[in-house]
Every structure is written in C-alpha cells, then in structure tokens.
Amino acid sequence: MYDLRGSDSGREWIEVYNNTGASIDLTKYKFFESGTSHNISHYEGDSELANGSYAVIADNATNFLNDNPNFPKTNLYDSSFSLSNDKGENLALKDSDGNILYEVSYDVSLGSNGDGKTLQLNTSGSWVSMDPSVGSLLTS
C-alpha cells in the first residue's frame, strides 16, 4: 500500500507471495526501491515463507499491526522504505547476490493513491485498484 489516507510515513507495506516450490528465508533477500536495496528483517510469525504462502513487508511492522489489527500475525517482516506517491516507481526483490528475482513497476494512474485501496496483481496478470486483502489470493 503506497499512499494511505492521511500521513503514510511509516505506514506503507507490500505483500509478496511465494510460488517458488520451496520455503524461502526473506531475510536473505533485499527489497529494492528508489535506487536502494533495503534489508528485510523477520518481525513475527514463521521465520521462513512456505511455498504457497504470503508475507507482508512493512515499512514499520508495529504501525502495520496497529493499522491492521485483524492481520493473523504470521509472516510479517520489517524493512525501511518510502514508496512514491507522486509518480510510481520500480520495485524489486533481489537475492543475496543482487540478482533480481521479481520486478514490478507501478504508476499512480492505476489508482490507489490516497483512497484506502491497494494495487493488486490479479490472476490474469493485470494490476487493479482494490480494497486491501492482506493474505488473500485474488481470483478475478
């Protein structure tokens, strides 16, 4: 979620899905945005992300839990980043050698800028603006 209602400082987050066929340790990866590779720290829940599971990487995990009190408290990670609210940007998940494992670009013209919605990748491969569905695979 890149542009929450009100101040989004320390409240932004992304959700990732593991479809690798094996468990992964996200703390060995880097979250790349705005030209910087950010460390990822385990906060609570499972320390490894099982195949077929979701994880949230929050700019501030404590704030994320305050904003999302019904989050099941599994697979939560903490990092330090600030997503662009004005124009969008390129985001990537990199392995320990700096190789890009997954990369995506978002643009504010897609929506979700300050309206309480998130950008979500649906099963047809399109990015859509929808209500947050932390931990749920989209079917549309």
Side-chain angles (χ1 to χ4, degrees):
M1 183 168 237
Y2 73 92
D3 189 8
L4 289 80
R5 288 184 176 138
S7 173
D8 62 5
S9 178
R11 297 177 55 224
E12 296 175 320
W13 53 272
I14 63 163
E15 184 176 42
V16 295
Y17 178 72
N18 178 5
N19 65 352
T20 65
S23 292
I24 57 173
D25 181 354
L26 280 177
T27 66
K28 293 182 179 176
Y29 294 169
K30 301 283 186 184
F31 175 59
F32 183 81
E33 67 85 34
S34 191
T36 303
S37 289
H38 303 281
N39 290 327
I40 301 171
S41 302
H42 177 253
Y43 189 80
E44 72 180 18
D46 298 327
S47 61
E48 288 203 355
L49 183 60
N51 180 54
S53 296
Y54 292 86
V56 168
I57 303 171
D59 174 36
N60 180 305
T62 301
N63 289 348
F64 174 81
L65 289 174
N66 289 335
D67 288 344
N68 299 279
N70 295 326
F71 182 72
K73 298 184 179 169
T74 58
N75 301 330
L76 180 58
Y77 294 81
D78 193 58
S79 191
S80 178
F81 55 87
S82 180
L83 303 175
S84 172
N85 295 342
D86 299 327
K87 60 182 183 244
E89 61 187 310
N90 294 328
L91 308 174
L93 193 61
K94 295 183 176 185
D95 67 14
S96 58
D97 294 323
N99 299 311
I100 294 174
L101 302 172
Y102 185 78
E103 185 173 29
V104 64
S105 296
Y106 73 94
D107 184 291
V108 297
S109 67
L110 296 172
S112 301
N113 44 341
D115 62 5
K117 296 183 184 285
T118 62
L119 290 178
Q120 301 176 27
L121 185 63
N122 66 18
T123 55
S124 66
S126 298
W127 287 94
V128 294
S129 178
M130 297 179 67
D131 290 329
S133 61
V134 178
S136 299
L137 180 61
L138 296 176
T139 58
S140 57

